[in-house]
Amino acid sequence: MYVKDFEIREKGKSQASRIFGYYEGANNVLHMYPHEIYGNELDTLLHEVVHNATVSSLSRHIDFGRNNRGKKAKTELGKEFIKIFNASKAGAKREHYGHYNVKEMVSEAFSNPEFMKHMESLPSVLKPKSGLKLWDDFKALVNRALGKTTETPL
């Protein structure tokens, strides 16, 4: 996982009220909607840069298919990302954007403090009864995906 060179293109007004930008992986372009319309450009930029850094790596572990939902794992690491995603979604008291698919979960976990707190509120699914939280599972999985053998703070 690393940030690749990318281009940012400003778009016209979004037709969907909740879309502030999106990452076009095939062409490595971040599309941003005008700041004066939505006013949260830094949050959106961070979220989309995380996609830039993680989508290709995640795609090696999860088959996102045509509908982009990513329910079929290619590797053990992919199975664990999906398990964390499902636990996060099942344990939610309200809907989070990070529950759309695993790609959004990863981007929200790195860029949205509210989503981080949500993951910190749920028990671990990779090490049940350990006292660890889902957030700990996520950090450990990211470290493994990066090839790190020791836990280091994200």
Side-chain angles (χ1 to χ4, degrees):
M1 291 180 208
Y2 60 92
V3 176
K4 301 172 280 203
D5 289 335
F6 60 90
E7 177 183 348
I8 299 176
R9 294 183 188 161
E10 193 164 325
K11 301 287 283 184
K13 186 175 180 182
S14 170
Q15 299 301 311
S17 62
R18 291 185 60 194
I19 297 176
F20 307 116
Y22 62 95
Y23 175 62
E24 181 187 343
N27 295 313
N28 213 25
V29 176
L30 304 181
H31 295 273
M32 302 284 292
Y33 292 102
H35 307 155
E36 64 274 5
I37 295 173
Y38 300 111
N40 65 348
E41 64 275 2
L42 291 177
D43 294 343
T44 301
L45 181 62
L46 178 57
H47 177 95
E48 300 306 332
V49 167
V50 171
H51 280 314
N52 171 274
T54 61
V55 165
S56 64
S57 183
L58 284 171
S59 295
R60 286 194 294 273
H61 300 286
I62 299 170
D63 179 2
F64 287 95
R66 297 175 83 195
N67 67 3
N68 212 23
R69 288 296 189 169
K71 295 186 179 182
K72 184 177 178 187
K74 296 179 185 177
T75 66
E76 191 60 36
L77 205 65
K79 287 179 188 175
E80 291 177 355
F81 269 113
I82 291 169
K83 190 172 186 175
I84 290 171
F85 169 77
N86 289 335
S88 175
K89 192 171 181 176
K93 293 182 175 135
R94 67 172 199 78
E95 186 177 328
H96 291 274
Y97 190 63
H99 294 145
Y100 181 74
N101 63 29
V102 176
K103 292 179 203 177
E104 297 302 341
M105 177 192 73
V106 170
S107 197
E108 286 291 285
F110 278 119
S111 65
N112 183 341
E114 185 179 313
F115 193 72
M116 291 175 201
K117 287 179 187 172
H118 162 68
M119 292 181 77
E120 287 174 337
S121 74
L122 300 172
S124 168
V125 293
L126 300 183
K127 294 184 179 181
K129 300 181 183 177
S130 65
L132 294 173
K133 300 294 184 182
L134 197 61
W135 178 245
D136 298 310
D137 289 346
F138 176 77
K139 292 186 301 182
L141 207 51
V142 168
N143 278 328
R144 283 182 40 217
L146 293 171
K148 294 184 178 185
T149 56
T150 60
E151 289 286 327
T152 55
L154 290 176

